[in-house]
Amino acid sequence: MLKRLEDLQADTLAELEALTTMDELRTLRSRVLKGEITEILRSIGSLPPEERPAVGQLGNEVRQTLEAAFAEREEQIKAEELARELEEGAIDVTLPGRPVQTGRLHPATRTLREVINIWREMGFQVYLSRDVEDDDTNFTLLNIPQHHPARDMWDTFYTTRDGVILRTHTSPGQIHAMREYAPEPIRVILPGMVYRYEQVDATHEMQFNQVEGLVVGRNIRMSDLKGTMIAFAHRMYGPERRVRFRCSHFPFTEPSVEIDIEGDNGWLEIAGAGMVHPVVLKNGGYDPREYSGFAFGMGPERVTLLKHSIEDIRYFWQNDLRFLEQF
Ligand code: DAH
């Protein structure tokens, strides 16, 4: 029995030295430690009593020696397997990492935020108004009655619900703001997307942002409109910039103007504006004999186009990364 234990230890150590994988090691370990040694120790009971202590003692020693040997060899094999994997495997740990793409704001969003921030610094509050409007608020309450030819200025997206449309400009927000605040004075801007049923081409899109402005109070005059718009233009485009007011017509303002700034290639229109029409003030809940106001509407995308010499407005909403990544 002692001889059997000694042989088992010698054979196992030899096999352990020869094997090269963790799988082989696990198989050998369970065969020897769980199987053969346990079997021998269990059979001690059938030996003559005087032989039992020596066999028991040697059995335990062999088990301890082998356990230590297995543990040591396991470490070696794991290290070897790792080294082999690194050498043969597809992972080249010396390659540089893949660069992480950082996102950025859309050029239109950047201009929009710039415009909004200037108005906020000038004391205007941002008022958000709905994109889906009713025909009345988009037109009639702004002094553009049904069937009036002025409606031709805005090609409209109608919906299948009677009277429900996509707003063609941010001006209907004026009505919502006035009805919420009347008879308090108002100084708000209304930024947002507007929609037009346009034949899309390089200079026409069917959606774009506008920034509307509305000031209502007692004794608001044309000179307030002019001073405010010039102050904005100087902040946005630089204090040297010349600003020009041209007579125009909008149904919701009287008188109406268009505002241009001087660019490198002549004058450039940046906004429509005017003194709020008495009918519109009344529709908003203000008595036009006591209150007056001015309003304006600008399209920041046009400014972005010119600033970056973008030759086609359709690039804006196509989400082509080759375009967007240039900003
Ligand atoms: N709503 C006009 C448009 O979409 C722009 C505009 C002009 C707004 C004059 C105004 C304004 O508030 O006073 O073409």
Side-chain angles (χ1 to χ4, degrees), residues 154 168-169 171 174 196 210 212-213 250 252-253 272-274 295-297:
W154 299 274
T168 59
H169 50 175
S171 304
Q174 292 187 29
R196 300 224 180 137
Q210 280 192 338
E212 187 88 10
F250 299 101
F252 28 86
T253 46
F296 57 84

Side-chain angles (χ1 to χ4, degrees), residues 28-77:
L28 181 65
R29 174 154 47 195
S30 77
R31 197 189 84 212
V32 177
L33 292 182
K34 293 219 185 82
E36 294 177 27
I37 290 209
T38 317
E39 206 181 291
I40 293 172
L41 291 175
R42 226 183 260 143
S43 66
I44 285 179
S46 60
L47 294 176
E50 64 280 11
E51 285 180 22
R52 288 180 200 168
V55 173
Q57 199 190 340
L58 185 62
N60 282 325
E61 277 169 21
V62 167
R63 196 213 305 259
Q64 273 165 22
T65 308
L66 289 181
E67 268 169 3
F70 273 108
E72 196 184 318
R73 187 79 180 114
E74 181 172 343
E75 288 306 308
Q76 282 175 1
I77 288 181

Side-chain angles (χ1 to χ4, degrees), residues 5 9 17 34 82 84 87 100 127 145 181 184 190 217 235 241 243 256 263 280 301 308 317:
L5 278 168
Q9 174 168 332
E17 204 51 49
K34 293 219 185 82
L82 180 64
R84 213 180 307 137
E87 204 163 300
V100 177
Y127 189 98
Y181 293 121
E184 299 296 325
L190 306 112
R235 284 172 193 236
R241 225 33 112 130
V243 183
S256 304
V280 178
E301 262 88 272
H308 299 291
W317 316 124

